[in-house]
Amino acid sequence: LGEGITCEFKRCGGNIEKDVLETVCSFLNRWGGDIFLGVADDGEILGVPKNAVKDLVRNFNSCLNNETLFNPTTSCAIEEIEIDEKIILHIYVGASSQVHSFKGKIYDRLDDSDFVVKGTNPIAQLYIRKQNIFTERKMFFHYTIEDFRDDVFDRVRIRVQNRNKNHPWLEMTNLEILKNLGMYSKDSETGNYGFALAAILLFGTDQMIKDCLPAYRTDAICRKMDVDRYDDRDIIETNLIDSVSRLMDFSQKHLNDKFYLADNMQRISLTSNICREIIVNMLIHREFSSNLIPRFIIEKDRIITENANKAQMPDEITLENLSPLSKNPMIAKVFREIGFAEELGSGTRNLYKLVPLYSGKNVKPKIIDGDVFKVYIPLSEKKINDPV
């Protein structure tokens, strides 16, 4: 198809060039897209130096996390692909809920070109467009940093330290962490500083969340014996980080654990890994403007999750048509940093790998993208009714 508003080809030697990072910035600010390093403008496969691949990936990720280059910082999925004995690097850039700048300049995408956004009105329109698309960007101005939960920030620091002892959040105050994430910023319309909804959902008190989203809650239901009502239920009305723990505890209470010996000879829990993928997906990709209550349901022969969604192309999601798009990028970034989630799209791939190991080699998950996003996980090879 060639280059376009969501696709860019780049020649690549041994370094990440400035124009690659400009395109990342413009994709973040527009609709996201794919960058292919080692491909000429006409689509010819040139490849990148094989001995430079690791350095290219490392340098690319370092640039995205460098506050002197990107504001706010970001992360992208990058993978190595071999074609005709040549290596190209595929970078997937998801559309961001924030407005990003590279070296102090805001870039946007038009057709197959990147351009600098100049002038107060065009920049304000870009912010307004983002707020209309991503509910997590909605601003609240009547809170101070003292209203947030210190204990949640502390737990987040512990988790990031376990993954990276030099993580920049370890030296930041609570407010600086929110600024780094773009969750505390200046509103383009009013000129006032405020907190994004994402900050409140992750670090706010239960009362703050209820004040901002009166219908907010997540339902965990076990329905094995009493199929008309339920055997057990947990109504969860706390922040997203603690919600993960509550839902994981619920799953471990009502599901048989199955262990598997991975290729590295490490014993892993299939139950925990599958449930973590679907629980995290349900929480971070939820459309918070909807009053539909997300549900995590355990039945005798399957697990079901449901959450409100802004569907891009309503359809059943398979490995063949997988086109990952983060619905709440700021929330997703925090989940990745603390180890609750991996790169965008990895959850679906993991489910297709893990479910056959848990339920039987002929069993696959069923993932449906629509106004209600649904995931069905069979618990055995026994045929179950098709989801309605």
Short mmCIF file of all heavy atoms in Angstrom, two decimals, residues 59-106:
data_model
loop_
_atom_site.label_atom_id
_atom_site.label_comp_id
_atom_site.label_asym_id
_atom_site.label_seq_id
_atom_site.Cartn_x
_atom_site.Cartn_y
_atom_site.Cartn_z
N ASN A 59 18.74 2.10 21.75
CA ASN A 59 18.81 3.55 21.58
C ASN A 59 17.43 4.14 21.31
O ASN A 59 17.11 5.23 21.79
CB ASN A 59 19.76 3.90 20.44
CG ASN A 59 21.21 3.58 20.77
OD1 ASN A 59 21.56 3.44 21.93
ND2 ASN A 59 22.04 3.42 19.75
N PHE A 60 16.63 3.42 20.55
CA PHE A 60 15.27 3.90 20.26
C PHE A 60 14.46 4.03 21.54
O PHE A 60 13.83 5.06 21.80
CB PHE A 60 14.58 2.93 19.28
CG PHE A 60 13.14 3.26 19.00
CD1 PHE A 60 12.81 4.33 18.19
CD2 PHE A 60 12.13 2.51 19.56
CE1 PHE A 60 11.48 4.64 17.93
CE2 PHE A 60 10.80 2.80 19.31
CZ PHE A 60 10.47 3.87 18.50
N ASN A 61 14.49 2.97 22.37
CA ASN A 61 13.74 3.02 23.63
C ASN A 61 14.27 4.10 24.56
O ASN A 61 13.51 4.75 25.29
CB ASN A 61 13.79 1.65 24.31
CG ASN A 61 12.95 0.61 23.59
OD1 ASN A 61 11.90 0.92 23.04
ND2 ASN A 61 13.41 -0.63 23.59
N SER A 62 15.59 4.30 24.55
CA SER A 62 16.18 5.35 25.40
C SER A 62 15.71 6.73 24.97
O SER A 62 15.43 7.60 25.81
CB SER A 62 17.71 5.27 25.33
OG SER A 62 18.19 4.06 25.88
N CYS A 63 15.62 6.95 23.67
CA CYS A 63 15.16 8.25 23.16
C CYS A 63 13.72 8.53 23.59
O CYS A 63 13.39 9.65 23.99
CB CYS A 63 15.26 8.29 21.63
SG CYS A 63 16.94 8.38 20.99
N LEU A 64 12.86 7.51 23.52
CA LEU A 64 11.45 7.71 23.87
C LEU A 64 11.28 8.02 25.36
O LEU A 64 10.30 8.67 25.74
CB LEU A 64 10.62 6.48 23.52
CG LEU A 64 10.56 6.07 22.04
CD1 LEU A 64 9.50 5.00 21.85
CD2 LEU A 64 10.28 7.26 21.14
N ASN A 65 12.23 7.56 26.18
CA ASN A 65 12.14 7.79 27.63
C ASN A 65 13.02 8.94 28.09
O ASN A 65 13.20 9.13 29.29
CB ASN A 65 12.52 6.51 28.38
CG ASN A 65 11.41 5.48 28.37
OD1 ASN A 65 10.45 5.58 29.12
ND2 ASN A 65 11.53 4.50 27.48
N ASN A 66 13.55 9.71 27.15
CA ASN A 66 14.41 10.85 27.46
C ASN A 66 13.56 12.12 27.53
O ASN A 66 13.03 12.57 26.52
CB ASN A 66 15.50 10.98 26.39
CG ASN A 66 16.53 12.04 26.75
OD1 ASN A 66 16.27 12.95 27.52
ND2 ASN A 66 17.71 11.91 26.16
N GLU A 67 13.44 12.69 28.72
CA GLU A 67 12.57 13.85 28.91
C GLU A 67 13.07 15.08 28.16
O GLU A 67 12.29 16.00 27.90
CB GLU A 67 12.44 14.17 30.40
CG GLU A 67 11.66 13.14 31.18
CD GLU A 67 11.51 13.50 32.65
OE1 GLU A 67 12.41 14.20 33.16
OE2 GLU A 67 10.51 13.11 33.26
N THR A 68 14.35 15.12 27.81
CA THR A 68 14.87 16.27 27.04
C THR A 68 14.49 16.16 25.57
O THR A 68 14.59 17.15 24.83
CB THR A 68 16.39 16.36 27.17
OG1 THR A 68 17.00 15.19 26.60
CG2 THR A 68 16.81 16.47 28.63
N LEU A 69 14.06 14.97 25.14
CA LEU A 69 13.63 14.79 23.75
C LEU A 69 12.11 14.77 23.64
O LEU A 69 11.53 15.53 22.87
CB LEU A 69 14.23 13.49 23.19
CG LEU A 69 15.74 13.41 23.08
CD1 LEU A 69 16.17 12.04 22.55
CD2 LEU A 69 16.28 14.51 22.18
N PHE A 70 11.47 13.86 24.41
CA PHE A 70 10.01 13.71 24.32
C PHE A 70 9.35 14.23 25.59
O PHE A 70 9.78 13.92 26.70
CB PHE A 70 9.63 12.24 24.13
CG PHE A 70 9.71 11.77 22.71
CD1 PHE A 70 10.90 11.24 22.21
CD2 PHE A 70 8.62 11.85 21.86
CE1 PHE A 70 10.98 10.80 20.90
CE2 PHE A 70 8.69 11.42 20.55
CZ PHE A 70 9.88 10.90 20.07
N ASN A 71 8.30 15.03 25.39
CA ASN A 71 7.52 15.54 26.51
C ASN A 71 6.03 15.42 26.16
O ASN A 71 5.56 16.08 25.24
CB ASN A 71 7.88 16.99 26.81
CG ASN A 71 7.11 17.52 28.02
OD1 ASN A 71 6.74 16.76 28.89
ND2 ASN A 71 6.85 18.82 28.02
N PRO A 72 5.27 14.54 26.89
CA PRO A 72 5.76 13.59 27.87
C PRO A 72 6.46 12.41 27.21
O PRO A 72 6.33 12.22 26.00
CB PRO A 72 4.48 13.14 28.59
CG PRO A 72 3.42 13.29 27.55
CD PRO A 72 3.80 14.50 26.75
N THR A 73 7.20 11.64 28.00
CA THR A 73 7.88 10.47 27.46
C THR A 73 6.85 9.42 27.04
O THR A 73 5.68 9.50 27.42
CB THR A 73 8.83 9.86 28.51
OG1 THR A 73 8.08 9.55 29.69
CG2 THR A 73 9.94 10.86 28.85
N THR A 74 7.30 8.44 26.29
CA THR A 74 6.36 7.45 25.76
C THR A 74 7.06 6.11 25.60
O THR A 74 8.23 5.96 25.97
CB THR A 74 5.79 7.93 24.41
OG1 THR A 74 4.76 7.03 23.98
CG2 THR A 74 6.88 8.00 23.35
N SER A 75 6.37 5.13 25.07
CA SER A 75 6.96 3.83 24.75
C SER A 75 6.22 3.27 23.55
O SER A 75 5.03 3.56 23.33
CB SER A 75 6.86 2.87 25.93
OG SER A 75 5.51 2.66 26.30
N CYS A 76 6.92 2.47 22.75
CA CYS A 76 6.34 1.86 21.56
C CYS A 76 6.82 0.42 21.45
O CYS A 76 7.89 0.07 21.95
CB CYS A 76 6.75 2.62 20.29
SG CYS A 76 6.19 4.31 20.20
N ALA A 77 6.03 -0.39 20.78
CA ALA A 77 6.43 -1.77 20.51
C ALA A 77 7.34 -1.79 19.30
O ALA A 77 7.04 -1.17 18.27
CB ALA A 77 5.19 -2.63 20.26
N ILE A 78 8.48 -2.49 19.38
CA ILE A 78 9.41 -2.60 18.26
C ILE A 78 9.81 -4.06 18.12
O ILE A 78 10.13 -4.73 19.10
CB ILE A 78 10.64 -1.69 18.46
CG1 ILE A 78 11.61 -1.81 17.28
CG2 ILE A 78 11.35 -1.95 19.77
CD1 ILE A 78 12.69 -0.75 17.27
N GLU A 79 9.74 -4.58 16.90
CA GLU A 79 10.05 -5.99 16.68
C GLU A 79 10.95 -6.16 15.47
O GLU A 79 10.94 -5.37 14.53
CB GLU A 79 8.78 -6.81 16.50
CG GLU A 79 7.95 -6.43 15.30
CD GLU A 79 6.74 -7.35 15.10
OE1 GLU A 79 6.81 -8.51 15.53
OE2 GLU A 79 5.76 -6.89 14.50
N GLU A 80 11.74 -7.21 15.50
CA GLU A 80 12.69 -7.54 14.44
C GLU A 80 12.02 -8.52 13.47
O GLU A 80 11.44 -9.52 13.88
CB GLU A 80 13.93 -8.16 15.08
CG GLU A 80 15.00 -8.59 14.12
CD GLU A 80 16.17 -9.25 14.85
OE1 GLU A 80 16.38 -8.92 16.02
OE2 GLU A 80 16.84 -10.10 14.23
N ILE A 81 12.09 -8.22 12.17
CA ILE A 81 11.48 -9.07 11.15
C ILE A 81 12.54 -9.39 10.09
O ILE A 81 13.26 -8.50 9.63
CB ILE A 81 10.27 -8.40 10.48
CG1 ILE A 81 9.21 -8.04 11.52
CG2 ILE A 81 9.66 -9.29 9.41
CD1 ILE A 81 8.07 -7.21 10.98
N GLU A 82 12.65 -10.67 9.71
CA GLU A 82 13.59 -11.07 8.67
C GLU A 82 12.85 -11.33 7.38
O GLU A 82 11.89 -12.11 7.34
CB GLU A 82 14.38 -12.30 9.10
CG GLU A 82 15.44 -12.70 8.08
CD GLU A 82 16.37 -13.81 8.58
OE1 GLU A 82 16.30 -14.11 9.78
OE2 GLU A 82 17.14 -14.34 7.77
N ILE A 83 13.26 -10.66 6.31
CA ILE A 83 12.67 -10.84 4.98
C ILE A 83 13.80 -11.00 3.97
O ILE A 83 14.66 -10.12 3.85
CB ILE A 83 11.79 -9.63 4.58
CG1 ILE A 83 10.66 -9.43 5.59
CG2 ILE A 83 11.22 -9.81 3.18
CD1 ILE A 83 9.80 -8.22 5.31
N ASP A 84 13.82 -12.13 3.26
CA ASP A 84 14.86 -12.38 2.25
C ASP A 84 16.26 -12.19 2.83
O ASP A 84 17.13 -11.55 2.21
CB ASP A 84 14.66 -11.48 1.03
CG ASP A 84 13.34 -11.74 0.33
OD1 ASP A 84 12.86 -12.89 0.41
OD2 ASP A 84 12.78 -10.80 -0.28
N GLU A 85 16.46 -12.73 4.04
CA GLU A 85 17.75 -12.68 4.73
C GLU A 85 18.18 -11.25 5.09
O GLU A 85 19.35 -10.99 5.36
CB GLU A 85 18.85 -13.37 3.90
CG GLU A 85 18.57 -14.85 3.66
CD GLU A 85 19.70 -15.54 2.93
OE1 GLU A 85 20.60 -14.82 2.43
OE2 GLU A 85 19.68 -16.78 2.85
N LYS A 86 17.24 -10.34 5.09
CA LYS A 86 17.51 -8.96 5.52
C LYS A 86 16.65 -8.66 6.74
O LYS A 86 15.52 -9.14 6.84
CB LYS A 86 17.20 -7.96 4.40
CG LYS A 86 18.09 -8.12 3.18
CD LYS A 86 17.71 -7.13 2.09
CE LYS A 86 18.60 -7.30 0.87
NZ LYS A 86 18.21 -6.39 -0.23
N ILE A 87 17.19 -7.87 7.65
CA ILE A 87 16.48 -7.53 8.88
C ILE A 87 15.86 -6.14 8.74
O ILE A 87 16.54 -5.18 8.37
CB ILE A 87 17.43 -7.54 10.09
CG1 ILE A 87 18.03 -8.94 10.28
CG2 ILE A 87 16.69 -7.11 11.36
CD1 ILE A 87 17.02 -10.01 10.63
N ILE A 88 14.58 -6.03 9.02
CA ILE A 88 13.94 -4.72 9.17
C ILE A 88 13.35 -4.64 10.57
O ILE A 88 13.11 -5.67 11.22
CB ILE A 88 12.85 -4.47 8.11
CG1 ILE A 88 11.67 -5.43 8.28
CG2 ILE A 88 13.41 -4.54 6.70
CD1 ILE A 88 10.48 -5.09 7.40
N LEU A 89 13.16 -3.44 11.05
CA LEU A 89 12.57 -3.22 12.37
C LEU A 89 11.21 -2.57 12.20
O LEU A 89 11.08 -1.54 11.52
CB LEU A 89 13.47 -2.34 13.23
CG LEU A 89 14.82 -2.94 13.62
CD1 LEU A 89 15.67 -1.93 14.38
CD2 LEU A 89 14.65 -4.20 14.45
N HIS A 90 10.20 -3.19 12.78
CA HIS A 90 8.83 -2.67 12.72
C HIS A 90 8.50 -2.01 14.04
O HIS A 90 8.57 -2.63 15.10
CB HIS A 90 7.84 -3.80 12.43
CG HIS A 90 6.41 -3.40 12.62
ND1 HIS A 90 5.49 -4.17 13.30
CD2 HIS A 90 5.74 -2.27 12.24
CE1 HIS A 90 4.33 -3.56 13.32
NE2 HIS A 90 4.45 -2.41 12.69
N ILE A 91 8.14 -0.74 13.99
CA ILE A 91 7.75 0.02 15.17
C ILE A 91 6.25 0.30 15.09
O ILE A 91 5.78 0.88 14.11
CB ILE A 91 8.50 1.37 15.26
CG1 ILE A 91 10.02 1.14 15.30
CG2 ILE A 91 8.04 2.17 16.48
CD1 ILE A 91 10.82 2.41 15.09
N TYR A 92 5.51 -0.16 16.10
CA TYR A 92 4.09 0.17 16.16
C TYR A 92 3.90 1.31 17.15
O TYR A 92 4.26 1.20 18.32
CB TYR A 92 3.23 -1.02 16.58
CG TYR A 92 1.78 -0.62 16.75
CD1 TYR A 92 0.97 -0.42 15.64
CD2 TYR A 92 1.24 -0.38 18.01
CE1 TYR A 92 -0.35 -0.01 15.78
CE2 TYR A 92 -0.07 0.04 18.16
CZ TYR A 92 -0.86 0.21 17.03
OH TYR A 92 -2.16 0.63 17.17
N VAL A 93 3.34 2.41 16.67
CA VAL A 93 3.09 3.58 17.50
C VAL A 93 1.58 3.71 17.71
O VAL A 93 0.84 3.90 16.74
CB VAL A 93 3.63 4.87 16.84
CG1 VAL A 93 3.46 6.06 17.78
CG2 VAL A 93 5.09 4.71 16.45
N GLY A 94 1.13 3.60 18.94
CA GLY A 94 -0.29 3.75 19.22
C GLY A 94 -0.67 5.22 19.32
O GLY A 94 0.14 6.06 19.72
N ALA A 95 -1.89 5.55 18.95
CA ALA A 95 -2.37 6.92 19.14
C ALA A 95 -2.38 7.23 20.63
O ALA A 95 -2.81 6.42 21.44
CB ALA A 95 -3.77 7.07 18.56
N SER A 96 -1.87 8.39 20.99
CA SER A 96 -1.77 8.75 22.39
C SER A 96 -2.94 9.64 22.81
O SER A 96 -3.50 10.38 22.00
CB SER A 96 -0.45 9.49 22.66
OG SER A 96 -0.37 9.92 24.00
N SER A 97 -3.27 9.58 24.09
CA SER A 97 -4.30 10.46 24.62
C SER A 97 -3.72 11.82 25.00
O SER A 97 -4.46 12.72 25.38
CB SER A 97 -4.95 9.83 25.86
OG SER A 97 -3.99 9.66 26.88
N GLN A 98 -2.40 11.96 24.89
CA GLN A 98 -1.74 13.21 25.23
C GLN A 98 -1.19 13.88 23.97
O GLN A 98 -1.06 13.25 22.93
CB GLN A 98 -0.59 12.94 26.19
CG GLN A 98 -1.03 12.22 27.47
CD GLN A 98 0.16 11.75 28.27
OE1 GLN A 98 0.75 12.52 29.00
NE2 GLN A 98 0.51 10.49 28.12
N VAL A 99 -0.85 15.16 24.09
CA VAL A 99 -0.15 15.86 23.03
C VAL A 99 1.33 15.80 23.33
O VAL A 99 1.77 16.22 24.40
CB VAL A 99 -0.63 17.33 22.93
CG1 VAL A 99 0.20 18.09 21.90
CG2 VAL A 99 -2.11 17.38 22.56
N HIS A 100 2.11 15.25 22.40
CA HIS A 100 3.54 15.05 22.61
C HIS A 100 4.35 16.06 21.80
O HIS A 100 3.94 16.47 20.70
CB HIS A 100 3.95 13.64 22.18
CG HIS A 100 3.39 12.56 23.05
ND1 HIS A 100 4.11 11.94 24.05
CD2 HIS A 100 2.16 11.99 23.08
CE1 HIS A 100 3.37 11.04 24.64
NE2 HIS A 100 2.18 11.04 24.07
N SER A 101 5.50 16.42 22.34
CA SER A 101 6.44 17.25 21.60
C SER A 101 7.78 16.54 21.51
O SER A 101 8.14 15.76 22.40
CB SER A 101 6.62 18.62 22.27
OG SER A 101 7.20 18.47 23.56
N PHE A 102 8.51 16.80 20.44
CA PHE A 102 9.86 16.28 20.27
C PHE A 102 10.81 17.46 20.11
O PHE A 102 10.63 18.29 19.22
CB PHE A 102 9.94 15.37 19.04
CG PHE A 102 11.34 14.95 18.69
CD1 PHE A 102 12.05 14.11 19.52
CD2 PHE A 102 11.93 15.40 17.52
CE1 PHE A 102 13.35 13.73 19.21
CE2 PHE A 102 13.23 15.02 17.19
CZ PHE A 102 13.93 14.19 18.04
N LYS A 103 11.77 17.56 21.03
CA LYS A 103 12.70 18.68 21.08
C LYS A 103 11.98 20.02 21.10
O LYS A 103 12.35 20.97 20.41
CB LYS A 103 13.69 18.62 19.91
CG LYS A 103 14.73 17.52 20.05
CD LYS A 103 15.83 17.66 19.00
CE LYS A 103 16.97 16.69 19.29
NZ LYS A 103 18.07 16.82 18.28
N GLY A 104 10.89 20.07 21.87
CA GLY A 104 10.15 21.31 22.06
C GLY A 104 9.18 21.66 20.95
O GLY A 104 8.50 22.69 21.03
N LYS A 105 9.06 20.81 19.91
CA LYS A 105 8.14 21.07 18.80
C LYS A 105 7.06 20.00 18.75
O LYS A 105 7.33 18.81 18.96
CB LYS A 105 8.90 21.10 17.47
CG LYS A 105 9.93 22.22 17.36
CD LYS A 105 10.64 22.18 16.01
CE LYS A 105 11.67 23.30 15.89
NZ LYS A 105 12.39 23.27 14.59
N ILE A 106 5.83 20.42 18.47
CA ILE A 106 4.71 19.50 18.36
C ILE A 106 4.53 19.12 16.89
O ILE A 106 4.40 20.00 16.03
CB ILE A 106 3.42 20.15 18.90
CG1 ILE A 106 3.56 20.42 20.40
CG2 ILE A 106 2.21 19.24 18.65
CD1 ILE A 106 2.40 21.20 21.00
#
